[in-house]
Amino acid sequence: MKVKVISRSTDEFTRERSQDLQRVYHNYDPNLRPQEKAVEYVRALTAAKLEKIFARPFIGALDGHRDGVSCMAKNPNYLKGFFSGSMDGDIRLWDIANRRTVCQYSGHQGAVRGLTVSTDGRILVSCGTDCTVKLWNVPVATLTDSDDSTDNSSEPLAVYVWKNAFWAVDHQWEGDLFATAGAQVDIWNHNRSQPINSFQWGTDTVISVRFNPAEPNVLATTASDRSITLYDLRMSSPARKVIMRTKSNSISWNPMEPMNFTALLSMMMQANEDCNCYSYDSRKLDEAKCVHMGHESAVMDIDYSPTGREFVTGSYDRTIRIFQYNGGRSREIYHTKRMQRVFCVKFSCDASYVISGSDDTNLRLWKAKASEQLGVVSIFLSRVFAVTLHPREQRKHAYHEAVKNRYKHLPEIKRIVRHRHLPKPIYKAASLRRTMMEAERRKAERRKAHSAPGSIVTEPVRKRRIIKEVE
């Protein structure tokens, strides 16, 4: 083994008087750098601690609704335009940058159950329990003006009255059609007062509907009979149907992998509920690709990031969680003392923020990365301007992320990075749920041990929640 030794004269690096400058030895050869791993480990540990110190995900609350926020929609063409609907029928257009209401619509006589925006971002479609679908004009000029005026005189462009209450609505990513969910799935055109097509499979209520991002003629729905159904507008009947053990409250397609979708499986107020999210490949529905765990109560809504690498969920347990698309556990848990049951969540169009709507009549704005430094924020004439980070600072953040990723498997760094503070009720619910799951596991093992060999087959969690698939 060849050993290189650093040799230097002590006289050259020793000060004769206290006023002399200390001479420093610089080693420019990376192969001779001593204790490289130890230095980088300390830097990774410091970066992990700094991330926790500067983690401030909550930005602010948008107050204005007088009842619980039931649904939200984002405008695909205007980054700071955002819509919300409440249980009292009120619909609002928000300016997220200035945190104010731009336009307020008269809405519906009952609860607003669904909101969606057309492809060009100029028409808002809403539906509710009053058996009506309404089309609204989006005031684009108001989003770009600098005045603080609020438009409260908007009237619907069209009102379509139907026989049954509506529970959800979604617009094609490219096209002029939109679908509503209720007693059946109805396909509408902007210029027609009657549905141009209707689908029905069974007699139960359809509670959510989503169009595929890549294939405009394919859509998926969830129903109260615990089913997930795929439809094709080019066919006269539904294509495929999967029956689950628990009801799915919402469904969302991955925008980067349109063949994959994630469903939220939950049954309201059930003690034996699994509270998980399941990712499926639409080409192979006999098992889930990934099971996302963490929530302690029913998961109410889901939305994918525009990048397709993450998705956010809102739950009845009053928390918001952000998951990796292929991760079993959440990387972030957001909560506040005043936030109640979360009914809807959305990623912003630039994947930098998360907006949540809850039962306490407030919309809340969060950072997608809790400790991300978004730049120096200055306020001038009631306007907020964000200054981008200096390139040297950006390189420093990139270096910190690299060393954390390199040493993330070490125990101390892993413990700091994974730790999330939980409210006391959620912590107790998680502990109780772990005890119940452990008891079920022991019971299943003992039943299998005292049965004939091969009589009891243990199914994985990815297949256990599926009862049957119907084509």
Side-chain angles (χ1 to χ4, degrees):
M1 182 177 66
K2 186 177 181 180
V3 179
K4 294 184 178 181
V5 180
I6 301 177
S7 60
R8 57 190 179 217
S9 175
T10 308
D11 298 335
E12 295 181 0
F13 293 89
T14 304
R15 292 185 297 181
E16 296 180 359
R17 295 180 297 274
S18 60
Q19 292 81 12
D20 293 346
L21 295 177
Q22 181 71 36
R23 190 170 181 179
V24 181
Y25 178 80
H26 292 282
N27 175 27
Y28 296 102
D29 188 358
N31 297 322
L32 300 179
R33 181 178 177 182
Q35 300 179 344
E36 178 182 3
K37 290 186 178 180
V39 172
E40 285 195 345
Y41 171 75
V42 173
R43 291 177 179 175
L45 187 62
T46 304
K49 292 179 179 179
L50 288 176
E51 183 183 18
K52 292 298 179 183
I53 292 174
F54 293 108
R56 298 291 185 271
F58 181 66
I59 298 177
L62 308 178
D63 190 11
H65 284 292
R66 291 169 294 180
D67 206 341
V69 181
S70 57
C71 56
M72 295 187 299
K74 49 190 175 184
N75 196 323
N77 281 11
Y78 299 95
L79 186 61
K80 63 178 184 177
F82 207 83
F83 299 92
S84 65
S86 64
M87 292 292 187
D88 60 354
D90 184 27
I91 302 174
R92 290 173 180 258
L93 170 59
W94 299 89
D95 184 354
I96 296 297
N98 298 315
R99 303 183 206 171
R100 64 182 180 91
T101 301
V102 174
C103 183
Q104 184 176 0
Y105 303 93
S106 56
H108 296 260
Q109 297 298 324
V112 182
R113 287 297 180 181
L115 292 174
T116 185
V117 185
S118 62
T119 308
D120 56 3
R122 296 183 177 273
I123 296 178
L124 170 69
V125 182
S126 66
C127 67
T129 56
D130 58 352
C131 306
T132 60
V133 176
K134 296 185 178 181
L135 274 62
W136 310 84
N137 182 36
V138 178
V140 179
T142 318
L143 289 173
T144 56
D145 290 344
S146 58
D147 58 351
D148 292 332
S149 61
T150 301
D151 185 7
N152 295 316
S153 60
S154 297
E155 294 295 331
L157 298 175
V159 179
Y160 305 147
V161 182
W162 199 231
K163 299 174 290 186
N164 304 298
F166 297 101
W167 288 89
V169 64
D170 191 45
H171 201 282
Q172 280 183 323
W173 289 59
E174 293 183 3
D176 296 330
L177 302 180
F178 63 91
T180 57
Q184 59 186 9
V185 178
D186 298 316
I187 310 300
W188 304 74
N189 190 291
H190 292 178
N191 302 320
R192 300 282 296 274
S193 60
Q194 297 287 329
I196 62 175
N197 201 354
S198 296
F199 297 96
Q200 189 173 9
W201 195 340
T203 58
D204 290 270
T205 303
V206 182
I207 57 178
S208 69
V209 58
R210 289 290 185 273
F211 272 99
N212 190 294
E215 181 56 59
N217 293 315
V218 176
L219 66 153
T221 64
T222 62
S224 57
D225 63 347
R226 303 168 304 176
S227 66
I228 299 176
T229 311
L230 297 179
Y231 298 85
D232 194 333
L233 302 184
R234 296 163 294 189
M235 301 173 62
S236 58
S237 61
R240 303 174 72 182
K241 184 177 183 179
V242 179
I243 307 297
M244 314 297 297
R245 293 190 182 274
T246 49
K247 186 180 69 174
S248 303
N249 285 332
S250 182
I251 194 170
S252 181
W253 293 92
N254 191 329
M256 295 292 107
E257 299 177 2
M259 73 290 296
N260 298 332
F261 63 89
T262 302
L264 308 183
L265 304 186
S266 55
M267 187 173 294
M268 301 292 289
M269 308 305 292
Q270 290 290 327
N272 59 352
E273 170 188 359
D274 60 359
C275 316
N276 298 334
C277 305
Y278 296 83
S279 296
Y280 293 90
D281 188 337
S282 58
R283 301 165 297 185
K284 191 173 185 293
L285 294 177
D286 57 345
E287 67 173 340
K289 292 186 61 179
C290 185
V291 182
H292 313 278
M293 304 179 181
H295 281 294
E296 306 305 329
S297 188
V299 187
M300 303 303 296
D301 197 16
I302 183 174
D303 187 50
Y304 262 99
S305 167
T307 60
R309 312 302 293 179
E310 295 178 339
F311 63 89
V312 60
T313 59
S315 173
Y316 216 71
D317 61 5
R318 306 189 297 274
T319 62
I320 301 167
R321 294 177 184 253
I322 300 178
F323 293 84
Q324 299 287 340
Y325 78 104
N326 57 355
R329 295 288 178 176
S330 60
R331 70 163 180 85
E332 291 291 351
I333 305 174
Y334 295 160
H335 57 86
T336 63
K337 292 183 178 180
R338 297 185 179 184
M339 185 168 67
Q340 298 301 313
R341 297 165 295 190
V342 182
F343 289 147
C344 49
V345 289
K346 291 290 182 184
F347 256 106
S348 64
C349 293
D350 61 349
S352 297
Y353 303 96
V354 171
I355 301 98
S356 65
S358 54
D359 198 20
D360 57 359
T361 73
N362 279 342
L363 282 86
R364 288 178 171 83
L365 187 62
W366 313 79
K367 288 191 290 186
K369 295 182 180 179
S371 59
E372 183 181 11
Q373 186 176 354
L374 299 178
V376 180
V377 178
S378 60
I379 301 177
F380 177 73
L381 297 178
S382 301
R383 290 293 179 269
V384 179
F385 300 95
V387 182
T388 58
L389 297 179
H390 193 274
R392 291 181 61 184
E393 196 165 6
Q394 293 178 0
R395 290 194 296 269
K396 184 193 73 172
H397 291 322
Y399 176 72
H400 283 177
E401 290 295 327
V403 294
K404 277 193 304 181
N405 186 58
R406 182 176 182 181
Y407 296 96
K408 63 181 179 181
H409 60 283
L410 297 179
E412 190 171 2
I413 296 178
K414 185 177 181 180
R415 178 183 60 84
I416 295 174
V417 171
R418 291 184 59 183
H419 175 72
R420 295 293 183 273
H421 176 267
L422 288 176
K424 195 171 183 179
I426 299 178
Y427 181 80
K428 288 185 176 180
S431 178
L432 178 62
R433 187 159 172 262
R434 283 194 299 268
T435 303
M436 296 170 61
M437 293 177 63
E438 182 65 21
E440 291 180 0
R441 186 189 63 81
R442 288 197 305 266
K443 184 177 181 179
E445 288 181 354
R446 290 169 182 171
R447 183 184 292 113
K448 186 176 181 180
H450 291 81
S451 302
S455 60
I456 297 180
V457 180
T458 303
E459 288 185 328
V461 181
R462 294 180 289 117
K463 292 185 177 182
R464 196 181 305 163
R465 308 305 302 179
I466 302 174
I467 297 178
K468 65 178 180 178
E469 181 180 357
V470 184
E471 294 187 4

